[in-house]
Amino acid sequence: MPKLGPADVPEVKLDSAAAFIENSLSREQRRGLFEKPGTTLYAIVAFTSKSYTGHAEGEDKDPQVKVRVTECEVARSDEDAAALAAAKRAMWRGRQIDGTLDEVGEGPQRPDDALLDVTASKPTEGELKEHKRRVEERRRAEYVR
């Protein structure tokens, strides 16, 4: 991998594979995006770097890195969308205070703190496991009948 100089800031390109985004959208959200141009949805996404374009010595080309969305959850209620929008605004305020809006920095140290209120009302991992166990028990009971 090529080494970047202190002043080099790679351009980030979004990879075209969007399966994680599509899979996280409901049918209604997909239709809304198509039928109502300008629709905004809020989501939590995870990006993973997949490839880079280095720059050869003496070349006057900026370095690039391609990222792919590898995890995505789209807000499905107004409450979730409002919480994500509030978290985004809180993170943006933090970047303003940190002075990282126009420079590469570490970014927010704990962006998940902004979501604690909304995540408190969501199911825990234990509740999800219990739900899956009950669903499996019902399937088995129906299969035996």
Side-chain angles (χ1 to χ4, degrees):
M1 178 176 295
K3 298 286 186 212
L4 295 174
D8 291 330
V9 179
E11 179 181 4
V12 176
K13 299 268 187 171
L14 187 59
D15 186 75
S16 61
F20 284 99
I21 296 172
E22 186 173 351
N23 292 339
S24 68
L25 293 169
S26 69
R27 182 178 189 273
E28 293 77 23
Q29 287 172 320
R30 292 180 197 194
R31 290 182 58 86
L33 288 170
F34 181 84
E35 294 171 346
K36 301 173 196 150
T39 295
T40 299
L41 299 176
Y42 286 90
I44 296 173
V45 297
F47 295 111
T48 302
S49 59
K50 291 297 180 179
S51 64
Y52 68 91
T53 303
H55 56 285
E57 193 125 348
E59 286 287 321
D60 191 24
K61 185 174 181 183
D62 292 332
Q64 292 181 348
V65 62
K66 271 195 181 174
V67 297
R68 182 176 297 158
V69 174
T70 52
E71 296 178 52
C72 181
E73 273 306 317
V74 177
R76 293 184 181 241
S77 70
D78 290 342
E79 176 191 41
D80 288 352
L84 293 179
K88 179 192 68 80
R89 286 189 302 274
M91 292 166 68
W92 185 80
R93 287 191 303 269
R95 287 195 309 137
Q96 279 186 307
I97 290 169
D98 294 343
T100 59
L101 281 175
D102 295 326
E103 61 187 55
V104 176
E106 291 182 24
Q109 298 302 308
R110 292 293 316 260
D112 55 321
D113 284 345
L115 294 173
L116 289 178
D117 290 341
V118 73
T119 57
S121 68
K122 300 297 178 195
T124 65
E125 288 293 325
E127 291 168 331
L128 176 61
K129 286 179 184 176
E130 178 63 21
H131 169 75
K132 288 180 177 180
R133 186 189 62 74
R134 286 193 308 259
V135 167
E136 186 59 31
E137 283 179 359
R138 270 186 261 146
R139 274 195 203 126
R140 286 184 191 148
E142 289 174 5
Y143 182 71
V144 172
R145 289 185 204 169

